[in-house]
Amino acid sequence: METTLRGVGVSHGVAIGEVRHMGTAVLEPPAKQIPAEEAEREQGRARQAVEAVAADLIARGNLAGGEAQHVLEAQAMMAQDPELIADVERRIAVGSTAERGVYDAFAAYRALLANAGEYLAGRVADLDDVRNRIVARLLGVPMPGVPDSDEPYVLIARDLAPADTALLDPALVLGFVTEEGGPTSHSAILARALGVPAVVALPGAGEIAEGTVVAVDGSTGEIFVEPSESKRSEMRSAAAARKAALSATTGPGATSDGHKVPLLANVGGPGDVPAAVEAGAEGVGLFRTEFLFLDDSERAPSEEKQVAAYRAVLEAFPEGRVVVRVLDAGADKPLAFLTPADEPNPALGVRGLRSLLDHPDVLRTQLTALSKAAEGLPVYLEVMAPMVADRADARAFADACREAGLEAKFGAMVEIPSAALRARSLLQEVEFLSLGTNDLAQYTFAADRQVGAVSRLQDPWQPALLDLVALSAEAARAEGKSCGVCGEAASDPLLACVLTGLGVTSLSMGAASIPYVRATLAKHTLAQCERAASAARAADSAEEARLAAQAVLSGE
């Protein structure tokens, strides 16, 4: 009998197929003591396993390319952390086997992360995956990963590590469902980049039996277990109509009455550019430069290396707009040369612009590299600072840009509620605002973006979050300046219309979402978008806001 479950839809599309469950490694090796004379051999085994797993993660990243590559390289660095390896070797020296030493050392580090504030706790799933891979190699058991299957299937897992998500084959994995995660987790972001329908934060998903037929709607978050033939037909028809609408709508983003809404791409480096160009992105609304710095956590990349990476992205958008976010280090992206190691709550500590102002040489080098990368190019370069809290922050960043001789627009990201509440004050110092809705939701609701249990508070449809967006957009309009959105909220086609109605002037998202947003905007007038925005803000919950906006835009 058909039953309906609801999680959080994070990647558009429909998938209908049989369930396959994610395989897991043996998690806990037996505890047994080894003679002292075997310690050196066991330490060698542990080092070899760590290096093999790190190499495998890097190889997977090279195959995947784009943003997935950066995520997997960061995971490889986690595996090779010198303090972790030293702890493993200490445990082996006092009698642990290699596999038990790895397991216990990672468990201790896991506890530190879990207690270091909600933001860092979001890295626990990545750490568990690294541990499982190393232990599996040492025990000689199959690695955790997607199941072997010759037939297409819907994958169900407790959570998906980046190493698994990055190499999903869309020809076999029709879609995936996870019990944990949130709309801005690594898995969700990578699913959107792959164009694989996905639903996360669905408690009890693991109880759906292997081989059960399910229908997954990655837009609504609905899962239909044992769907009827009529339901399958209905969903296939809707998917076909959506695909036809996507191919029929081309060109720059705009409402049906001609109000322009530039559709830009979020990129992590040159590897993400081809997909953005193919999707018809009108430029880049968020160039995340931190991935370049994560290649070596001990030192900043040279000016020359930065120039080459930046220029490769800038050259891809001649006469287009490219918005670069300077290094956003700290919290879940710690860098040894920049980030304090003993902060009790890194997400609320020295991160983003705060780190850069404490290390002006790092900021100066990056701004100089950006200036040199743009020389001779017709691109419209804009540079923005992350984690701006007040006018003093905005002024300090603008001053640093001017001192570096940067010929570009300077902007501030609105990720902290104080920045939204005082947006007009910030705009006395900078020329544009860009709303990072992922972090803005996290700080508004005190809800970690990686924790599935609080995913409802990470929903960008929350009326309180829409109020902050409206405040920022109204301030920018009053000052005659622009206010874009570069958080994952922009990738929701219906919400994109609401954001447009709130006064947002551009939308930036993963490349795979651009056609969906373009087609949806083209169906509605600016006035309809404004009415939908008003209806959504008048609601009392995210779900009510979504339904209210949907009713307006569908003419109900």
Side-chain angles (χ1 to χ4, degrees), residues 25-27 127-137 143-144:
V26 175
L27 295 183
L127 185 70
D128 286 348
D129 180 62
V130 172
R131 177 203 64 198
N132 288 349
R133 289 173 186 279
I134 297 172
V135 170
R137 181 170 288 274
M143 288 283 180

Side-chain angles (χ1 to χ4, degrees), residues 31-72:
K32 63 179 182 179
Q33 290 293 108
I34 60 169
E37 60 268 20
E38 293 183 16
E40 188 173 343
R41 178 179 67 85
E42 289 295 288
Q43 288 172 339
R45 286 182 64 227
R47 285 193 295 271
Q48 289 174 0
V50 165
E51 291 305 316
V53 166
D56 178 62
L57 290 168
I58 290 171
R60 285 169 176 259
N62 291 335
L63 284 172
E67 187 164 340
Q69 181 174 3
H70 304 306
V71 173
L72 292 174

Side-chain angles (χ1 to χ4, degrees), residues 141-385:
V141 300
M143 288 283 180
V146 297
D148 291 328
S149 176
D150 295 329
E151 297 296 324
Y153 59 90
V154 174
L155 180 64
I156 290 185
R158 182 182 62 82
D159 200 357
L160 281 173
D164 298 314
T165 318
L167 293 186
L168 291 179
D169 181 355
L172 283 176
V173 182
L174 302 172
F176 68 75
V177 181
T178 65
E179 294 193 57
E180 299 183 0
T184 57
S185 65
H186 278 155
S187 292
I189 292 171
L190 292 177
R192 284 188 284 270
L194 288 166
V196 177
V199 172
V200 302
L202 180 67
E207 297 173 12
I208 301 175
E210 185 92 358
T212 302
V213 175
V214 296
V216 178
D217 189 325
S219 299
T220 66
E222 291 175 307
I223 310 294
F224 300 94
V225 181
E226 298 288 8
S228 64
E229 282 301 324
S230 62
K231 173 58 70 175
R232 297 186 201 191
S233 177
E234 175 190 327
M235 293 183 72
R236 290 191 182 106
S237 296
R242 188 179 300 162
K243 186 174 181 179
L246 294 181
S247 59
T249 308
T250 58
T255 58
S256 61
D257 55 341
H259 175 72
K260 293 182 179 179
V261 188
L263 302 182
L264 312 172
N266 294 343
V267 304
D272 292 334
V273 167
V277 173
E278 184 179 352
E282 298 168 58
V284 171
L286 173 61
F287 180 1
R288 303 181 181 96
T289 60
E290 59 268 19
F291 292 116
L292 182 62
F293 288 75
L294 289 170
D295 287 344
D296 183 351
S297 67
E298 299 298 323
R299 63 186 63 84
S302 67
E303 182 181 300
E304 293 73 20
K305 183 176 181 179
Q306 292 189 55
V307 169
Y310 302 151
R311 194 169 180 89
V313 174
L314 296 175
E315 286 177 334
F317 295 95
E319 300 185 9
R321 177 187 178 199
V322 175
V323 184
V324 179
R325 180 177 70 190
V326 294
L327 176 61
D328 183 17
D332 66 334
K333 293 167 286 191
L335 295 172
F337 68 89
L338 200 68
T339 308
D342 56 353
E343 286 189 311
N345 192 338
L348 300 179
V350 182
R351 65 165 292 199
L353 180 61
R354 299 168 187 175
S355 293
L356 294 174
L357 295 179
D358 280 353
H359 298 80
D361 54 323
V362 175
L363 177 58
R364 188 182 309 111
T365 299
Q366 185 172 23
L367 294 174
T368 301
L370 284 165
S371 181
K372 290 182 178 179
E375 284 179 1
L377 297 180
V379 67
Y380 295 95
L381 176 63
E382 300 183 10
V383 182
M384 62 185 182

